Amino acid sequence: MLRVDRLTVGYDSVPVIFDVSFSIQEGELVSIVGSNGAGKSTILRTISGLLKPFSGTIEFMGHRIDKLPAHQIVKLGIAHVPEGRHVLGKMSVKDNLLMGAYTINDKIEIQRLLDEMYELFPRLKERENQKAETMSGGEQQMLAIARALMSKPKLLLVDEMSLGLMPLMVDKVLEVLKEVNKKKGLTILMVEQKVQEALEIADRGYILQTGKIVAHGTGRELLESDLVKKAYLGM
Ligand SMILES: Nc1ncnc2c1ncn2[C@@H]1O[C@H](COP(=O)(O)OP(=O)(O)O)[C@@H](O)[C@H]1O
Ligand SMILES: [Mg+2]
């Protein structure tokens, strides 16, 4: 579904991602894991069109997308939950969700999507009319994910959902992502510093170190590898 081939990209002509290749099949949940500064967010920003590759290509469902503007990439079905969530604090939960559906014109369909989100995230239904800023970090993360789902994406990009959340909340949000992946068949690419948690729920994973992919495999293979045990799990 997504193929990133020999991607080099960075800021002000200084590369921070070097010759990175990976791919995602339809229905998979894939994690790219690595430490702070490894380049995880840069990769997601490039897929969603906010940054343009210095070289390399990105193909989504048979289309080259690496030269398209971000709004066209959204229309093709890629939704991005950015690092730090960026929900609109002064707006209600419901209005935040409706914003996610801005590419959809059909009112009945929008209502159906709202109902679906409230079923997936009952907490958001309870807080529908509350300002987003009054919710906990975990609830805001759920809202950011639900807002992205309102655009009916084919591929969901999730940047560091664990940031600033308590461990229990991290597990909860991961559970929801796994559920959306398995029950609705949504393809998900997440990037995470929480290496263990992210590999445990992933079908496959890639290890990113200072802008380069140094290992890949199934979540289990990576968790059992010496590289991951030594570098990330402190064993
Ligand atoms: N807007 C920016 N301008 C310049 N350099 C940046 C910018 N954003 C990130 N970087 C640099 O790019 C590298 C990768 O950053 P990032 O993709 O944010 O890593 P991660 O998400 O894995 O923590 C880091 O060295 C970071 O300092
Ligand atoms: Mg980041």
Side-chain angles (χ1 to χ4, degrees), residues 94-106:
K94 185 176 177 183
D95 286 342
N96 267 280
L97 288 173
L98 290 175
M99 267 189 30
Y102 75 97
T103 54
I104 301 170
N105 295 318
D106 179 350

Side-chain angles (χ1 to χ4, degrees), residues 60 69-79 102-103 151-152 154:
F60 177 63
H71 69 269
Q72 276 188 32
I73 294 174
V74 173
K75 275 198 188 140
L76 287 175
I78 298 182
Y102 75 97
T103 54
S151 69
K152 294 211 284 184
K154 298 185 176 81

